[in-house]
Amino acid sequence: ILADYNLGSWTGLEAFELMLQERHDVPFILVTGALGDQRAIECVKRGVTDYILKDQLDRLPLAINRAQEERVLRNEHLRSQAALEESEAKFRALADTIPMATFIEQSTHCHYANQAAERITGYSQDELLTMNFWQLILPDSRQSLTTVQNFQDRDWADSRHELKILTKDGQIRWLDEIGRASCRERV
């Protein structure tokens, strides 16, 4: 949309606000004879795509192209974000229905623990997300796992270990830990 700032009894900015209220996603460029710095800043802060002074109309094609490119990029980003959210929802639905505990950790920070992890450890998901898996493992299991991980740091072979953990209520449980270079799954 190309609109003059002065539209008689109302302004281009008011037209822009009406467009937003009606939820139209269209680039909006103000074309004006004079627009003070304060008004220009106010328009851009409110979301107007650009403004062109009437004595600089040679900038108009460039502004239109840039506005269209930005819209395409924004729509691609929104589609990517929606696809990512859908993929994460599918993963969570799957991970929450399997009976084995699944933890996703990066470095030493837990980013995800499924319902089975809560049931097996006795900790809530919120509690598990503030912990790292090492905090659950008993010291003798930590020692054997550390030795194997140091070896794996060199060649990242697949690994499988039986580990003892301490649940929230003080019970000792055995876990079968299956790991790969960047992914470790706890059963």
Side-chain angles (χ1 to χ4, degrees):
I1 296 176
L2 300 175
D4 197 336
Y5 185 81
N6 293 313
L7 298 171
S9 63
W10 60 318
T11 68
L13 190 55
E14 291 170 327
F16 173 72
E17 305 243 336
L18 178 63
M19 183 195 77
L20 290 180
Q21 287 173 5
E22 294 184 5
R23 300 196 186 277
H24 295 290
D25 181 23
V26 180
F28 196 99
I29 299 174
L30 287 174
V31 181
T32 184
L35 192 64
D37 289 342
Q38 284 297 92
R39 277 206 182 119
I41 290 170
E42 178 186 353
C43 291
V44 172
K45 280 185 178 178
R46 289 192 179 178
V48 169
T49 308
D50 205 347
Y51 69 93
I52 302 294
L53 298 177
K54 288 181 180 177
D55 63 352
Q56 297 176 353
L57 289 178
D58 57 325
R59 283 192 55 232
L60 189 56
L62 180 63
I64 291 171
N65 284 337
R66 187 180 61 79
Q68 290 175 332
E69 288 173 6
E70 285 178 0
R71 182 175 184 213
V72 167
L73 290 173
R74 184 176 64 252
N75 288 341
E76 286 176 5
H77 175 74
L78 292 173
R79 276 192 298 275
S80 295
Q81 190 67 30
L84 178 61
E85 289 171 6
E86 180 182 347
S87 176
E88 287 178 355
K90 287 178 181 177
F91 163 77
R92 288 182 189 280
L94 176 64
D96 280 339
T97 59
I98 60 175
M100 92 181 106
T102 301
F103 297 83
I104 296 179
E105 289 187 356
Q106 287 179 316
S107 188
T108 60
H109 181 74
C110 182
H111 291 274
Y112 174 78
N114 69 352
Q115 293 173 358
E118 290 180 272
R119 190 174 57 257
I120 291 168
T121 66
Y123 290 98
S124 71
Q125 187 174 45
D126 289 338
E127 291 171 314
L128 289 169
L129 293 178
T130 63
M131 303 169 69
N132 69 57
F133 190 71
W134 284 99
Q135 292 173 287
L136 297 172
I137 302 172
L138 290 174
D140 58 333
S141 288
R142 275 188 210 162
Q143 184 62 35
S144 65
L145 189 57
T146 302
T147 303
V148 173
Q149 280 188 327
N150 288 338
F151 170 75
Q152 288 176 349
D153 284 343
R154 283 181 256 126
D155 63 8
W156 288 108
D158 289 345
S159 66
R160 185 174 191 159
H161 310 281
E162 288 186 351
L163 306 171
K164 289 189 281 185
I165 66 161
L166 190 62
T167 64
K168 185 175 181 177
D169 63 3
Q171 293 181 26
I172 294 176
R173 291 226 168 133
W174 282 92
L175 292 186
D176 185 18
E177 191 251 5
I178 303 168
R180 186 167 254 179
S182 61
C183 178
R184 297 196 102 57
E185 177 182 299
R186 275 73 185 208
V187 184

